[in-house]
Amino acid sequence: MKGDLHTHTVFSDGINTAEEMVQAAITAGLREFGISDHSFTPFDPGYCMPPEKYPEYVQTIRELQKKYAGQIDLKCGLELDYYSDN
């Protein structure tokens, strides 16, 4: 496998930080890695990212892109659910 573009972190329903996920992807030898946490859905906020966290999320991924440049191609995404407010 060369990459994984659908992963989640503690920003939504994942159990690891974004940096832990990136480090694991590098260790696994992935060339491309995408973090795509769940967008907000008002009917079930338990698994998704609150909108006020979006700026921190994007900033975190951008910082990791710089930190791990040359080691992995890191993508920043957002999984938009059918009933998302976005």
Side-chain angles (χ1 to χ4, degrees), residues 2-24:
K2 296 178 184 179
D4 185 350
L5 299 178
H6 185 180
T7 64
H8 299 165
T9 71
V10 294
F11 279 102
S12 65
D13 61 349
I15 60 171
N16 296 95
T17 66
E19 185 157 21
E20 290 169 338
M21 295 292 288
V22 171
Q23 289 172 345

Side-chain angles (χ1 to χ4, degrees), residues 1-8 21 25 30-38 57 65 72-79:
M1 182 156 81
K2 296 178 184 179
D4 185 350
L5 299 178
H6 185 180
T7 64
H8 299 165
M21 295 292 288
L30 299 182
R31 296 182 209 157
E32 188 173 35
F33 191 67
I35 297 176
S36 55
D37 278 290
H38 288 281
Y57 170 72
Q65 287 172 325
I72 196 163
D73 183 9
L74 178 59
K75 311 287 188 190
C76 180
L78 187 64
E79 184 176 342

Side-chain angles (χ1 to χ4, degrees), residues 11 49 51-63:
F11 279 102
M49 184 178 4
E52 61 270 11
K53 287 285 202 176
Y54 291 174
E56 179 186 354
Y57 170 72
V58 172
Q59 179 181 352
T60 298
I61 305 306
R62 296 292 180 235
E63 289 171 0

